[in-house]
Structures are given as structure tokens and as C-alpha cells.
Amino acid sequence: MVLSRRGSGSVILPSGHTMAVHTRTHDEEDLPHATKRTMADHLRKYEQMFTLTPQRMRMIVEAFKEALETGLEKPEQVVPMIPTFVFGWPTGEEKGDFLALDLGGTNLRVCLVTIQGEGKFEITQSKYRLTEEQKQDDGQKLFDFCAESLKTFIDTTMAENTGIHLEKGQKLPLGFTFSYPCSQERIDDGILIRWTKGFGAADTEGRNVADMFRQSIEKYQLPVHLTALINDTTGTLIASHYVNPKTRIACIFGTGCNAAYMEHIKDIPKLQSLGLDQGLDMAINCEWGAFDSFEHEHLPRTKYDIIVDERSNKPGEQTFEKLISGRYLGEIFRLVICDLIDEGVLFLGQNTYKLENPYAFDTAFLSLMESDPTDELLMIVGIFSHFFAVETTLAERQFFRALAKLIGKRAARLSACGIASIVSKMGYLDEGCSVGAEGSLYNKYPGFADKIHEGLVDIFGEKGRNIITHHAEDGSGVGSAIIAAMTKKRKEAGIHPDL
């Protein structure tokens, strides 16, 4: 019989609850046969599997850049490079009161943004919870809910907290952040290509969602004018530039991933038939999560990435996203663990059925493992004992943390490749630029931003230090309002007023 000594401690979980944990500590001779050596051997295997060399990163950047160019040249490409009809940067002189509506995956958010110029603004907002029934019910009912919530906000929150009372006939410009793939031929229209984020509202895909919302506005007789329909990444780009004029690119690194940047209209061949002013710029919503989909020629997919893809609801699609976004990193980790369980390396004699459930291992667990400050790695003890009912040795916990770091680092370095492709295409390297970044991975995953910066240096050398990421401004609220202000000003000036 193997005897073990037990230590104890406590772990604070993401929910804020404190959980008692017990950790087994073994004398070296108590360890199962060659456990330490076995874990080290496996770690070397996964280091080779998940490590991206600078040379490989530079190859990915070149392929990525080519995909961006193709998307600008022709419609309906893998990386679609969607024109947003947001023309140019904010001047910083935009001022006024603007409403913003943000239809997210969980909540509907309504904001009043008072733009004060010179990078300053004030925001008043309310959130309204979306039910699963609303996400799946008739699409017109969903937009009716949006309009009803907007009416409640105007009649109560806005009136009580801001002192703004609209005169009869007065209408406020509204920017609508609708973060689902849409094709647009003007800034205040959009045809829904497909629902994402668990939505399935009927009779909506293939329809003009802006027109559907206008029907709801009319139904509730709201004093608003739908000025702009935007994607959240585009809003993030504009809001970040408004506060920090050095911003040239915006990225989302969260449950999903995306990027937006400002392109010269003369360099967007697929728009040339519109007769646009060639001296202007337009924001492009890259939808870059689709990079290397279908053909799978450029990204370093492991057997675990392929399993994640094949078991997803859209096999073959969103390949880049499946390697770097928060939706999938925990699942990649879980699949590695399951492989080692099947090989008889981990958890011998223990019931591991809880680890066999797809997506049972949240990406937040990887974040906690990387940041565990204790010598005994008590946070990792707590994760495996509390959520999966298995006990771990110190050698196993050290392996788990190292594996989490490998998966997280690969995601950050691939993210750097995406940023580098836009930087290289636009020639921003010598002068440098700021990248507004948002999302749970960027904001909460330990060291994610630092690893992106390390990746940029590996790609570009010392000049990579000229590219700085920073926490982005609220694109779904502030960005949406600023775009509404820009659009109102542009149309009043007669610059492409029909777009």
C-alpha cells in the first residue's frame, strides 16, 4: 500500500467562494513508476506540438496578408473583409447626444453617450437580459423587444439621470451595434448572413435587419433615427482612435476573435464600381476568424485542433478562431488530458467521467492555473478536485500548468500573426501604431498581451516593439455613438449621402 501525507489549504474560485482543498504529497519513492520522468517526457512532446517558431510565424503572416488582399479584391472570400461604410477617422470635434443599442449574446444594452470632443465622453446605460426564448423566437419579436427596451430607457433612465427631455418632433441619432455577420451596401442597412452566439431567431437570416428594426421603431413611435448599423469590432476601432489617435487597428480576443482597420478606398478593388471618392478611407471588418478555413494550408493544427473542428457545429470553418479564442482553449487542454488518461498516464484508478464531457474544462481554468501562486499549486488542486472529483500529484499539477502555458502562448503568438499581417500590409511598422484590444482573453488571461508583444518582436525583430496593444474603449456603446455622429456629419456635408 502506498502511504501519502495530506496537506490542506483553501482556494478562491472565480465565483468568489472559498473552497477547502486537500493535496497529496509523496516522497520520491512513493511516486508511481517514473511519474516525474513520464510527465517530463510528455511535456517535451507537447512543447514540440504547440510551439511556434519565429520562422513559422513569418510564413503565417505572409499567407494571412495574402488572404486579406484576396478578401479586398473579390466578394465572398474565406476572409470576407467586409466594407463597413464608416468613412475615415473621427476628427475629435464630434459633439452631441447619441443613443447606442448593443444586441449581444447575453444582454441587450442601451446607452446614451454624450460626446464632448477631444477624446472625452459621458455614458449612461441600462442592460436588459435576453431569454433563450427571445433568441429563438420570431425575429420581428426580438426587434420589438429591442425597441420596447429603448423606449423604457428613453422614458425613465435617460429622463431621470441626464435631464434630457426631447422636444416634440425631435429625434436622436442611434447607432445599432449588431455583431452578427451582415453584408452591407450602406451604413444604415445590413442583410443578416447567419446568426451566431447561439441565436436562431426565425425569419431573419437573409433579411435586412435594419428595416426590421425600423418597423419596431415605428411600432413604438420612438424619437430616434437609425443612423448606423455596425459591428462591435468596427466600433472598437473608432472609439479607441477617438481616445488615442495613434490607434490604427482594433482586435477582439475573447469568446470569438476579429479585427478591424482603416483601408484606403483606392485599395479595395471590389468597391470600385460604386464610384467612391478614391481619396477617402473606409473601415474594414475583417472577420479574420475564418482565416485558413476549408483548405487548412497554413495554420499549425494539431490532432486536438482537428478534433475540436470536426466536432464543432461548423466543421471546416472559423479555423483561426478555433486555435486562439476563449471558446476553444479549454477544450484543447481537455482533449490532451483525455488522451493521457486513455494512455494510462493520468489518474490511474480514479473515475474520470466528468472530464469526458466536451467543453467541461473552461478556458478560465487555464487562466487560473497559469496564475497559481502557491508552491503546492493549490488552485490546480481545487479545480480538479472540486469540478472533476480527481486527485492530483504535484508532478501532474506542474505538467498541467506547463501545458496551459503552451496552449495560451500559442494562442497569443497566433494573435500576433494576425496583427502583424495588417501592420505589414499597411506599412505601419516603421512609424509604429497602437492596437486597441478587447475581450476576455486579452483582459483576463495572465500575460496574454505580453506574449502578443513577444510574438511581434519574433516576427519583425526590434521594430516589432513599435506595435503596442492597449485596452480598447467600449466599441459597442461609445464607438457606435461616435460612428452615428460621424455619419450624421458626413451626410450633412453631402459626402456620399446615399451610403
Side-chain angles (χ1 to χ4, degrees):
M1 178 181 294
V2 176
L3 298 177
S4 65
R5 295 191 302 273
R6 288 188 179 271
S8 64
S10 63
V11 170
I12 299 176
L13 298 172
S15 62
H17 295 109
T18 301
M19 174 182 61
V21 298
H22 301 282
T23 175
R24 296 183 301 169
T25 59
H26 298 271
D27 291 329
E28 197 67 38
E29 59 268 29
D30 291 333
L31 286 170
H33 175 65
T35 296
K36 278 197 169 184
R37 181 172 54 79
T38 302
M39 299 317 302
D41 289 343
H42 281 284
L43 183 59
R44 281 191 289 273
K45 178 177 73 174
Y46 293 114
E47 283 174 344
Q48 292 180 342
M49 190 178 292
F50 288 105
T51 296
L52 274 176
T53 65
Q55 181 182 9
R56 184 65 186 271
M57 293 173 74
R58 287 189 283 268
M59 292 171 64
I60 292 170
V61 170
E62 287 304 310
F64 215 131
K65 190 163 64 169
E66 186 176 324
L68 302 182
E69 297 280 9
T70 302
L72 292 173
E73 185 178 341
K74 309 170 189 174
E76 300 181 9
Q77 298 303 298
V78 173
V79 180
M81 304 295 281
I82 299 172
T84 64
F85 296 90
V86 175
F87 291 90
W89 299 111
T91 63
E93 298 176 1
E94 291 82 6
K95 293 181 181 180
D97 297 314
F98 297 86
L99 287 165
L101 194 70
D102 174 22
L103 183 63
T106 306
N107 298 302
L108 173 73
R109 190 164 63 114
V110 186
C111 312
L112 173 73
V113 183
T114 299
I115 304 173
Q116 300 165 322
E118 299 179 349
K120 300 175 183 177
F121 60 85
E122 290 182 355
I123 184 168
T124 303
Q125 59 185 320
S126 294
K127 286 184 179 180
Y128 303 87
R129 188 81 176 183
L130 292 165
T131 66
E132 285 304 313
E133 182 181 2
Q134 286 171 320
K135 294 179 185 180
Q136 309 303 328
D137 206 346
D138 176 73
Q140 195 61 56
K141 289 183 180 179
L142 176 64
F143 290 114
D144 282 351
F145 172 73
C146 293
E148 186 178 8
S149 300
L150 183 56
K151 179 176 174 58
T152 300
F153 178 83
I154 292 171
D155 292 345
T156 58
T157 304
M158 191 176 88
E160 293 171 5
N161 296 329
T162 68
I164 296 175
H165 299 278
L166 300 179
E167 298 178 4
K168 187 175 181 180
Q170 182 183 359
K171 292 186 176 183
L172 284 177
L174 170 70
F176 187 5
T177 303
F178 187 79
S179 300
Y180 305 88
C182 288
S183 59
Q184 291 185 263
E185 294 184 353
R186 49 185 293 156
I187 197 166
D188 56 358
D189 275 339
I191 308 299
L192 177 62
I193 298 170
R194 63 182 179 277
W195 283 116
T196 58
K197 303 178 185 177
F199 274 75
D203 303 321
T204 310
E205 292 182 349
R207 294 181 64 187
N208 188 326
V209 292
D211 280 348
M212 293 179 72
F213 184 49
R214 286 190 186 95
Q215 291 180 36
S216 299
I217 289 174
E218 187 68 26
K219 177 179 178 179
Y220 286 88
Q221 298 183 326
L222 297 178
V224 302
H225 172 62
L226 179 57
T227 305
L229 183 77
I230 68 160
N231 176 275
D232 59 346
T233 317
T234 308
T236 299
L237 175 70
I238 297 301
S240 293
H241 186 276
Y242 177 72
V243 173
N244 176 5
K246 291 184 178 180
T247 301
R248 293 289 180 271
I249 301 167
C251 300
I252 305 294
F253 300 119
T255 304
C257 69
N258 196 11
Y261 74 105
M262 197 66 67
E263 182 60 87
H264 309 308
I265 287 177
K266 65 181 178 60
D267 294 329
I268 312 176
K270 65 184 178 184
L271 290 186
Q272 294 310 302
S273 62
L274 296 181
L276 300 175
D277 184 339
Q278 297 296 290
L280 296 177
D281 293 338
M282 182 186 291
I284 296 293
N285 167 25
C286 300
E287 293 292 345
W288 73 5
F291 171 62
D292 202 34
S293 295
F294 308 112
E295 299 298 330
H296 307 306
E297 295 178 336
H298 307 293
L299 293 172
R301 298 201 306 164
T302 68
K303 60 183 280 189
Y304 307 107
D305 301 309
I306 293 171
I307 292 171
V308 165
D309 181 36
E310 290 176 344
R311 294 178 180 175
S312 72
N313 63 338
K314 294 184 181 296
E317 300 182 33
Q318 297 298 101
T319 299
F320 187 55
E321 182 171 280
K322 288 170 183 172
L323 269 65
I324 74 170
S325 83
R327 166 72 174 148
Y328 302 103
L329 300 188
E331 177 65 1
I332 294 168
F333 180 94
R334 188 193 70 84
L335 289 170
V336 174
I337 299 304
C338 287
D339 235 10
L340 294 174
I341 292 171
D342 292 343
E343 292 174 18
V345 176
L346 292 174
F347 308 131
L348 288 174
Q350 299 189 63
N351 193 332
T352 59
Y353 73 97
K354 290 187 176 182
L355 279 163
E356 294 165 8
N357 295 322
Y359 293 90
F361 210 95
D362 197 283
T363 298
F365 294 158
L366 272 65
S367 179
L368 289 169
M369 288 194 291
E370 282 212 38
S371 58
D372 193 331
T374 63
D375 291 339
E376 289 290 320
L377 300 178
L378 294 178
M379 188 70 76
I380 301 177
V381 174
I383 290 169
F384 280 90
S385 63
H386 182 77
F387 293 98
F388 304 106
V390 292
E391 292 188 317
T392 57
T393 67
L394 180 58
E396 289 168 346
R397 296 194 294 277
Q398 290 169 337
F399 169 79
F400 296 148
R401 181 161 69 170
L403 178 62
K405 287 183 176 180
L406 286 173
I407 294 171
K409 185 175 182 178
R410 184 186 68 158
R413 289 170 73 79
L414 284 170
S415 300
C417 291
I419 293 172
S421 67
I422 298 176
V423 168
S424 179
K425 181 196 175 306
M426 298 303 294
Y428 291 149
L429 187 59
D430 288 335
E431 65 180 275
C433 74
S434 288
V435 179
E438 182 57 282
S440 54
L441 271 182
Y442 184 84
N443 294 332
K444 297 179 180 178
Y445 201 100
F448 196 82
D450 292 338
K451 293 182 179 75
I452 288 177
H453 293 146
E454 291 170 7
L456 290 168
V457 172
D458 278 350
I459 293 167
F460 291 126
E462 284 302 305
K463 284 188 176 181
R465 301 187 191 280
N466 295 341
I467 313 302
I468 305 296
T469 68
H470 65 271
H471 175 69
E473 292 300 320
D474 171 20
S476 300
V478 177
S480 180
I482 294 170
I483 289 172
M486 292 168 60
T487 302
K488 179 174 179 287
K489 186 176 180 180
R490 169 174 64 82
K491 292 192 174 187
E492 288 173 350
I495 301 172
H496 296 304
D498 55 333
L499 296 176

